[in-house]
Amino acid sequence: MSTADETRRITDPSALKAVAHPLRVRLLAALREDGPATATELAHRLGTESGSTSYHLRVLARHGFVEETSGGQAARRHPRERRWQAAHRLSEWSNVAMSASPAGRDAAAMMRRRQVEVLIGDVERFDAAAADLDDVWVEAAGIGDLLVRLSPGSLTELWDAFYAHLDTLVVRDAADQAAMPVSIVVAGFPRVESP
């Protein structure tokens, strides 16, 4: 990654909608987690066609989410081969700014649904592998479902404290041989009555 700790602030609804595509979400996640790869390597890893993967990588590049790796031609095994990397470690957006237009509302809603799909996939993979995992991982894993009363300020404070503590734990566990990639999905929405 060009700047490993950089956060991309998405302000354009079309960019958020572009990254919310199911395959593009997976491609960006794979590049962030596993590092640079070619379209062919990603297609093999994700079980997709390399032509489709290449197209979706170019869309992500057009919107600034991925970029060709530095190293250029010398790092390529084939003259037409392109190695891609994530351009940012994280992506974020303002829900208020996105809700200012129908396109923004649609894009943010699409991205929230993609995040839920990722969670469902992670739960399904965990369930399938639980019998082969160490008991300490089976015990540590889980999902919570709480309904509490908070003000908007307190919910924002909770987000800030959560991410600050998570950053501390990631740094602490960076060299721990027992550490492995862990999918963390957090959500906090005001419970509103259905129309």
Side-chain angles (χ1 to χ4, degrees), residues 27-140:
L27 290 169
L28 183 57
L31 291 171
R32 284 178 173 169
E33 183 175 339
D34 301 323
T38 66
T40 302
E41 292 166 345
L42 289 165
H44 179 70
R45 191 179 319 158
L46 301 177
T48 62
E49 297 293 326
S50 60
S52 174
T53 300
S54 181
Y55 166 79
H56 287 292
L57 285 166
R58 289 191 307 273
V59 172
L60 287 170
R62 188 167 55 245
H63 288 281
F65 292 101
V66 302
E67 60 195 13
E68 282 192 69
T69 58
S70 58
Q73 192 68 25
R76 296 179 181 181
R77 285 178 241 139
H78 184 276
R80 293 181 54 197
E81 178 183 77
R82 295 170 120 182
R83 292 193 68 75
W84 298 95
Q85 65 185 2
H88 310 93
R89 185 174 64 93
L90 299 170
S91 300
E92 67 179 17
W93 59 91
S94 164
N95 285 323
V96 171
M98 286 296 163
S99 69
S101 71
R105 285 190 295 276
D106 289 346
M110 185 183 295
M111 182 53 89
R112 283 189 291 273
R113 279 156 185 75
R114 292 295 168 260
Q115 291 169 316
V116 170
E117 290 169 3
V118 168
L119 172 61
I120 291 168
D122 288 339
V123 169
E124 290 171 347
R125 282 185 292 279
F126 172 79
D127 289 342
D132 298 322
L133 290 172
D134 289 339
D135 288 345
V136 292
W137 277 112
V138 174
E139 189 65 30

Side-chain angles (χ1 to χ4, degrees), residues 4 6 17 21 29 31 55 69 72 76 107 114-115 119 134 139 149 151 157 164-165 168 170-171 194-195:
E6 189 175 352
K17 185 174 182 181
H21 182 279
L31 291 171
Y55 166 79
T69 58
R76 296 179 181 181
R114 292 295 168 260
Q115 291 169 316
L119 172 61
D134 289 339
E139 189 65 30
R149 290 183 57 82
S151 67
E157 182 181 336
H165 188 61
T168 299
V170 168
V171 169
S194 299

